[in-house]
Amino acid sequence: MARLLTRMDEASALERLVVLARGGERAAGDALVRAFAGEVYGVLFRIVGNHEDAEDLAQEVFVRALSALDLYRGDGPFGGWLLRIAVHVGRDHLRRRGRAPVLLGLTGIAAGDGRPEPGAALEHGELTAHLAAALERLPAPLRAALALRVLEGREYDEVAAALGVRPATARTQVMRARRLLERLLAPWLGARHGRDTR
Amino acid sequence: MKKGDRRRLERLFDGRATLEEELALERDAVDDGQLAAGLARVRALLAACEALPQPAHERLDVEALVAEVRAGLEHGVAQTNEALMETGAVTAPGPSAWRPRLAWSSLAAAFVAGIALWALAGERVLTERAPVSPAVEHPAERHVLGPAEAVEAGPSHEPIADRTANAEMRETGSTPGGRTAWALPGIALPSAPVDGARREAALVVLADVLTRAEVLLTFDVRAPGDAAGFAARADAAFVAQVEGLWPLASLAEALLVHADPDVAARAARYVAARRDALTAGRLARALERELATASAARQVVRLAAASALAELGAFDALARSFDDLCEAGILGEAGALGEVRDLEALLAAWHAAGREELGPELARALSRGWRPRSDTALVHLGALGRPGADVLARLALEGTPRSPSALTETRRGLRAGEPSGDSLTLLAASPFGASAVEDLVRAERNPSGARLERSCALIDATGSLGALDWLTALARKGETRAQLSLARLPGVEPVATLVELDAEGLVRDDRVWSELVSVDAGRVVDRVREAANVAPGDAERLVACLIGSGGDAAAPVLATAAGEPRLGTRTRERAALALAQLAPSRIGVTETQTLCLELEAALGDAWRGHEDSLVAALVVASDTWLGAESLTRALQRLGALRAERVVRAAAHGSGADSALARQARVERTLDTSRVVAKEPSSVDRGRRGNRGT
């Protein structure tokens, strides 16, 4: 695949792969999976927060995508379309999971009085653990927006396309996610740095 | 916190803030506690985000994922598209692109299985069928026995299975003899022994049996097109269903005009497969009957009958029907019926039978209207030898082979066959004639004999300069045929090549030079002028080759050479003397006029020179070509002394030529010139007097 992409323009190569896969060419479908496996997995990991789920969901994403290739209109990058499916699959997964607390190294988070000093928390990685827990509690769209923009570093256009919203909406969702996180993590953030987290 | 500050913090959090903005935030935060706290929170949050576990890409087994995805697709794990609809990734509900294929595949498989089971119902009969007479074991016999004990001789008077026996078969699944047989659904045999009804019932049975046999054969990967297998299956199935002795071939012949074209076509196939002595006659009669009908639907039958006749090798009967076949569209519009494959089978059978003498008929029929739609047809045509090649040439002329593969097959067929002269002419005029010829001849790496002759003939027909290298290589080996073809190629390049070969002593046949000027003397003239400028030696060699062997057609070249001042005097002189020996009457008027103009100019130039021998040679040539009057005027312009010298030179010759004919003219010119020298004013009289003598 990499060799293929160096030979041809990436977009046209992907387009061709999509066409071939749409025509039932298994090898092309496989190539698409290989091309986007890392990206899809990465986004899913950011959304669901653990490797196993992300890996399983990646499979689901690709199965769904390849099953519905005829529905890909080609009016945007294939990667964006795939990302959109991944976000949906991730959000769906979060809904099914019912926002249950994830492990993600949270052992011991509840220890102590629950209001550690932010500095100490950072030093011990506790803030990170609490952040992970807080991310789990975020509404799925906000979490996805935060993951794509802040954790993945994607452009707002891309985030918006993946979320199926306008870029301005995506920005708003990221803003709301930050505020929610600050509120959820206030015990660890606000003790030393004030409470202006509206 | 100010609203603007919150926005700045948001920009910092989501990465939109530039470094300058961040520094500005820090500066402002020094004096603003709330901003400082907000900045601290954002930074702490960002730091925590960065500290979150990163995706473990190294743990991701991509190949395993690929395998799982593929397995998921194969097992239909794919979810409905509702999820995609929710995401907006798709805008309209639609079926999965893969699952419909699976569904259709399943449906098709079920259908095929159903058909196979239905057909196997009849096939079971084959495995547990009633004993049959030797006629069944030998399909050449025209009568097939049913399981009834009695064997009667009459073709249509035997009792067909009686009501009881057949009812028993259908109801119990066993034959009267206790053997299991599967009832044929939907076939109601008559309850009363009425001849007509029994025959009709037998026809119904046979039609059904033929359908089963064909279906079974279709699914028989071991012998998908086995005609004998088809007939044997049909025989066995029929025997299992109908009692008594039945003239199956006769029944099948009756089915040849069945209302259902498919049934009739199967009957034709069956009749052909039985291959008895009367088969061809039956088919031919059926074909004639079919050809008399105008129904387009009956073309299936016509085609089947024609194809069956071809399979039988009954080409005479088929050939007799060719015109009718064409008119009926069998050979003309077969493609429109999607029956190209059958026509290709016909071609293949034709080829296999090796009846090339009927090829022209086929070629005529095919080139009249039929257009091959697949390369396979071209392959068969190519295998037909000369007739096929003739058809291919005609098709090529019409531009029928368009795709690269079709052109390749056409070229291959032309290579394999030996197109006739007419076809070669057609091929030469075809859009790809030249390239086809180049391809043809290049395939002949070291041809000799007939192959060389054929290849050269192809080149001659097309005048393909692309074959120049190939011809040159052969000509260099001393192949006269190749040298002749080389001489026939257009342009000056072949001329130069031949001169080179002559310099190497490889051109030994004078016909090469006569051919060179016969085809087109103009290019040789061009070459002489061209070479005189850059390589006078080549031009002189060319002229030397043409002198004596170029024939009358070389006259323009010799005239040019005689007047070409860049050539040596000796060459010009020889050219003029050779020209003098040619007969103007054998050269076209236009050529002669052109030549005379050149000669006059040459003579005028020569007067100004001092080479008396050259002038003398030109005088001799002028005597032949320009006539006495022009010659006398020319001599008068020389003056008496010069004219006498010239004439003397002409009389003695220069050693270039001494042919008797030339000598006679020289003598006559001498007489004339004597008159010129002594009595310039009485030249005309003298010449008249000479001619009078």
Side-chain angles (χ1 to χ4, degrees):
Chain A
M1 182 63 196
R3 199 184 313 158
L4 181 68
L5 292 183
T6 55
R7 278 207 309 268
M8 295 188 288
D9 172 62
E10 183 174 359
S12 63
L14 286 174
E15 194 66 29
R16 178 158 174 71
L17 279 179
V18 171
V19 169
L20 289 172
R22 190 180 283 163
E25 181 64 50
R26 295 274 174 88
D30 293 351
L32 284 173
V33 174
R34 291 189 186 94
F36 290 99
E39 195 172 355
V40 167
Y41 163 76
V43 168
L44 286 169
F45 182 90
R46 297 294 190 189
I47 294 174
V48 301
N50 70 81
H51 171 79
E52 286 74 20
D53 284 352
E55 202 172 32
D56 289 342
L57 293 176
Q59 177 192 346
E60 187 179 346
V61 166
F62 282 116
V63 169
R64 283 191 185 191
L66 293 177
S67 300
L69 266 183
D70 284 350
L71 302 176
Y72 168 53
R73 291 167 295 175
D75 51 2
F78 179 74
W81 186 73
L82 204 57
L83 212 59
R84 204 160 168 174
I85 298 172
V87 167
H88 174 83
V89 168
R91 283 161 49 177
D92 196 40
H93 173 79
L94 292 181
R95 271 199 294 270
R96 285 200 305 269
R97 202 168 63 185
R99 295 178 188 172
V102 292
L103 300 177
L104 203 69
L106 296 185
T107 308
I109 284 181
D113 61 2
R115 290 181 179 272
E117 287 290 317
L122 278 174
E123 285 174 8
H124 295 94
E126 287 184 5
L127 178 58
T128 301
H130 286 285
L131 173 63
L135 285 172
E136 283 290 311
R137 298 182 61 188
L138 283 181
L142 301 190
R143 177 169 182 167
L146 187 77
L148 290 170
R149 175 63 194 182
V150 178
L151 304 182
E152 286 278 310
R154 296 177 184 274
E155 294 296 327
Y156 267 119
D157 286 345
E158 204 176 347
V159 175
L163 298 176
V165 297
R166 291 178 303 166
T169 306
R171 273 199 296 275
T172 304
Q173 287 179 339
V174 172
M175 182 186 72
R176 288 178 58 204
R178 179 183 72 87
R179 290 179 182 172
L180 277 174
L181 283 177
E182 285 187 0
R183 200 170 294 166
L184 290 170
L185 297 173
W188 293 272
L189 295 173
R192 182 175 291 182
H193 303 294
R195 293 183 176 275
D196 188 7
T197 57
R198 48 174 295 218
Chain B
M1 186 187 293
K2 300 174 191 172
K3 188 175 180 182
D5 290 339
R6 282 199 290 273
R7 285 183 181 167
R8 291 163 73 188
L9 289 176
E10 284 163 8
R11 288 176 63 83
L12 179 65
F13 180 74
D14 68 10
R16 283 178 292 159
T18 63
L19 181 61
E20 287 77 11
E21 288 176 332
E22 190 173 356
L23 291 174
L25 263 177
E26 283 184 358
R27 279 198 304 273
D28 295 343
V30 173
D31 301 324
D32 187 337
Q34 285 190 327
L35 180 59
L39 181 60
R41 286 195 298 273
V42 167
R43 284 182 165 166
L45 205 52
L46 286 173
C49 285
E50 285 181 6
L52 283 171
Q54 298 296 312
H57 287 284
E58 69 283 354
R59 290 176 60 192
L60 179 66
D61 188 344
V62 175
E63 290 308 315
L65 178 63
V66 168
E68 286 165 3
V69 169
R70 178 176 280 197
L73 289 168
E74 287 175 353
H75 290 93
V77 172
Q79 302 298 311
T80 64
N81 290 317
E82 291 171 7
L84 297 174
M85 296 296 296
E86 288 175 23
T87 67
V90 295
T91 54
S96 156
W98 292 47
R99 284 185 295 114
R101 279 194 280 276
L102 287 173
W104 277 110
S105 301
S106 305
L107 204 60
F111 176 75
V112 167
I115 292 290
L117 282 173
W118 170 77
L120 277 170
E123 177 71 346
R124 285 286 298 273
V125 172
L126 306 184
T127 55
E128 299 179 50
R129 60 181 183 167
V132 295
S133 77
V136 174
E137 304 303 333
H138 302 285
E141 299 292 335
R142 289 183 291 121
H143 293 77
V144 178
L145 281 172
E149 296 79 9
V151 176
E152 302 179 31
S156 61
H157 303 291
E158 300 77 13
I160 197 168
D162 61 44
R163 170 76 182 89
T164 308
N166 281 287
E168 183 186 356
M169 284 167 62
R170 286 196 295 275
E171 289 163 9
T172 66
S174 62
T175 62
R179 290 169 290 276
T180 302
W182 289 51
L184 290 169
I187 300 176
L189 293 179
S191 55
V194 181
D195 283 353
R198 282 179 311 179
R199 182 177 169 80
E200 286 304 311
L203 287 173
V204 170
V205 171
L206 181 59
D208 190 80
V209 154
L210 291 177
T211 304
R212 290 181 190 280
E214 189 172 75
V215 170
L216 285 171
L217 212 59
T218 302
F219 288 99
D220 188 345
V221 295
R222 294 163 300 179
D226 183 13
F230 169 70
R233 285 167 189 269
D235 286 346
F238 185 84
V239 163
Q241 297 301 317
V242 180
E243 292 185 346
L245 179 64
W246 282 92
L248 270 184
S250 176
L251 287 177
E253 184 184 351
L255 287 180
L256 286 172
V257 291
H258 195 277
D260 183 345
D262 292 331
V263 173
R266 284 184 205 111
R269 188 180 179 196
Y270 174 81
V271 170
R274 291 184 60 85
R275 293 178 181 278
D276 62 14
L278 302 177
T279 298
R282 288 195 185 96
L283 284 170
R285 284 199 300 277
L287 185 57
E288 285 171 12
R289 284 197 300 269
E290 291 299 329
L291 288 171
T293 66
S295 167
R298 304 304 294 178
Q299 284 196 357
V300 176
V301 186
R302 296 172 196 141
L303 194 58
S307 190
L309 279 173
E311 285 179 17
L312 285 173
F315 299 109
D316 295 328
L318 200 51
R320 282 196 297 274
S321 308
F322 252 126
D323 285 339
D324 292 331
L325 284 170
C326 290
E327 286 176 11
I330 294 301
L331 297 180
E333 300 295 335
L337 286 177
E339 299 291 350
V340 171
R341 280 180 310 165
D342 288 333
L343 193 54
E344 288 168 358
L346 186 151
L347 287 172
W350 198 294
H351 170 226
R355 297 292 299 272
E356 290 190 4
E357 71 275 12
L358 293 176
E361 290 287 339
L362 178 64
R364 187 165 57 84
L366 291 180
S367 60
R368 187 178 298 169
W370 177 63
R371 300 290 176 274
R373 292 191 177 185
S374 73
D375 298 347
T376 310
L378 297 172
V379 171
H380 289 313
L381 283 172
L384 279 172
R386 170 167 285 188
D390 287 345
V391 176
L392 288 173
R394 284 179 170 81
L395 293 175
L397 175 66
E398 293 159 5
T400 299
R402 294 180 195 280
S403 68
S405 59
L407 288 173
T408 301
E409 286 305 334
T410 303
R411 289 175 180 172
R412 192 172 293 155
L414 288 168
R415 270 204 307 273
E418 296 182 0
S420 62
D422 289 345
S423 295
L424 289 177
T425 306
L426 291 174
L427 185 64
S430 70
F432 83 118
S435 60
V437 165
E438 290 166 23
D439 186 61
L440 283 173
V441 299
R442 287 199 181 104
E444 303 278 0
R445 295 190 181 281
N446 194 20
S448 60
R451 305 298 292 183
L452 175 64
E453 182 69 30
R454 187 178 70 89
S455 295
C456 288
L458 277 173
I459 294 170
D460 294 346
T462 59
S464 169
L465 276 174
L468 182 65
D469 293 343
W470 182 83
L471 275 180
T472 302
L474 286 174
R476 202 172 288 284
K477 293 178 181 174
E479 292 283 1
T480 300
R481 185 62 182 84
Q483 291 173 356
L484 284 169
S485 287
L486 200 56
R488 292 179 189 124
L489 286 183
V492 297
E493 200 172 349
V495 183
T497 303
L498 283 172
V499 172
E500 283 178 20
L501 293 173
D502 183 73
E504 297 171 22
L506 297 171
V507 182
R508 301 182 185 89
D509 194 324
D510 287 347
R511 287 181 302 161
V512 173
W513 304 112
S514 62
E515 201 68 34
L516 188 68
V517 287
S518 296
V519 171
D520 179 13
R523 66 203 168 115
V524 187
V525 169
D526 291 343
R527 177 58 188 166
V528 168
R529 287 183 174 141
E530 181 184 283
N533 198 30
V534 295
D538 286 352
E540 289 173 356
R541 175 172 288 280
L542 176 57
V543 173
C545 291
L546 292 174
I547 291 174
S549 53
D552 294 330
V557 185
L558 296 176
T560 300
E564 176 54 60
R566 289 168 295 187
L567 296 182
T569 303
R570 173 90 171 137
T571 299
R572 296 177 65 189
E573 186 185 335
R574 293 184 63 194
L577 291 173
L579 187 63
Q581 297 178 52
L582 301 180
S585 61
R586 291 200 294 268
I587 300 177
V589 174
T590 306
E591 285 293 326
T592 304
Q593 289 173 343
T594 307
L595 186 148
C596 289
L597 288 173
E598 291 209 9
L599 198 57
E600 273 191 21
L603 200 55
D605 290 341
W607 291 157
R608 291 190 288 273
H610 300 287
E611 297 92 353
D612 290 342
S613 61
L614 174 61
V615 176
L618 287 169
V619 163
V620 172
S622 298
D623 184 45
T624 303
W625 289 85
L626 304 180
E629 191 174 346
S630 297
L631 175 62
T632 303
R633 279 201 305 272
L635 285 173
Q636 283 176 334
R637 286 204 302 271
L638 281 177
L641 285 177
R642 179 81 192 276
E644 189 174 355
R645 204 166 62 234
V646 165
V647 169
R648 191 173 294 121
H652 292 293
S654 62
D657 279 294
S658 58
L660 287 176
R662 179 180 65 84
Q663 203 60 36
R665 290 193 179 90
V666 168
E667 290 299 326
R668 191 180 64 192
T669 306
L670 260 179
D671 293 341
T672 306
S673 54
R674 283 196 191 96
V675 175
V676 171
K678 292 175 182 173
E679 296 177 348
S681 61
S682 61
V683 166
D684 291 342
R685 251 186 300 127
R687 281 193 68 79
R688 277 197 298 274
N690 286 334
R691 293 205 168 176
T693 60

